[in-house]
Amino acid sequence: MTRSSPVGAPRGTVEAPRCELAPAAPSGTGRLLAVSVVAATPCSVPLLRRLARSVARHRRLSEAAEEALTVIVTELATNVVLHSGSPDLAVMFEADDAFVTVAVRDGGRWQPRTAPRCEDADMDASFGRGLALVEAYSSTTSVLGSAEGTLVRATVAL
C-alpha cells in the first residue's frame, strides 16, 4: 500500500511524527508539554490521538480531560487533513495548574467542499461536527486564520 509522502521523503513512505514530551511541570507554573509536526495525511491523525493520550497520562489528568484532549486533537487534525491543503500540521500542548491548551496550526488555506453537502448539518450527521465537538469539550476555543494558515487553540479545564 502506498501512502502520501511528506515533501522530500521517498514515495510510499510516511514520516514518523517529530515530537518531544516534556516532564511534568512543578505546581504553579505553565509550560510546554509536547510539540509534534507531522504530514497532514489521514495516517497522522491516530498518531496525534495517541500523543494526546500520552500527554494526558504523563500529566496524570482525569479520564474526562484525557477524553477531551483526544477528541479535540482528532477533530482538529482531521479538519487540517480534509480542508486546509497544508502539507503538514503542528500540534502543541501547554499546561498550568488549571488548564491544558491544545494548539493546532496548518500552513494551508481553507478548501471548500468539492460537492454540496448531502444532508443537513446537525448533530446526527456523520460528518461536519468537528468544531462543534471541539467547542463542546473545551472551556475556550479560538480560530485565527491568516495568509500563512490557520491556528486553532482549545483550552480544557482540569
Side-chain angles (χ1 to χ4, degrees):
M1 174 180 192
T2 301
R3 298 183 196 171
S4 301
S5 302
V7 176
R11 183 157 176 78
T13 64
V14 176
E15 184 177 290
R18 297 177 300 272
C19 68
E20 181 177 323
L21 190 60
S27 182
T29 62
R31 68 175 297 162
L32 181 66
L33 300 178
V35 176
S36 182
V37 179
V38 297
T41 61
C43 61
S44 294
V45 175
L47 296 173
L48 293 171
R49 183 172 37 248
R50 285 192 295 272
L51 175 61
R53 186 172 293 119
S54 179
V55 166
R57 290 179 180 171
H58 186 73
R59 288 284 295 189
R60 294 184 171 95
L61 301 182
S62 68
E63 286 183 25
E66 180 179 329
E67 178 181 355
L69 287 178
T70 57
V71 169
I72 289 168
V73 167
T74 299
E75 295 302 326
L76 294 178
T78 299
N79 280 353
V80 171
V81 170
L82 294 177
H83 302 297
S84 77
S86 179
D88 56 39
L89 69 109
V91 178
M92 179 179 64
F93 298 88
E94 297 174 300
D96 60 25
D97 288 340
F99 300 97
V100 173
T101 300
V102 178
V104 175
R105 177 181 292 279
D106 67 61
R109 302 186 96 174
W110 182 259
Q111 303 293 308
R113 290 183 179 275
T114 56
R117 187 182 288 269
C118 297
E119 53 188 90
D120 293 334
D122 64 29
M123 291 311 285
D124 293 327
S126 60
F127 56 85
R129 298 178 297 177
L131 287 178
L133 280 173
V134 170
E135 290 174 348
Y137 275 98
S138 64
S139 302
T140 61
T141 305
S142 65
V143 179
L144 177 62
S146 71
E148 291 82 35
T150 303
L151 172 64
V152 180
R153 295 176 60 85
T155 303
V156 176
L158 301 179

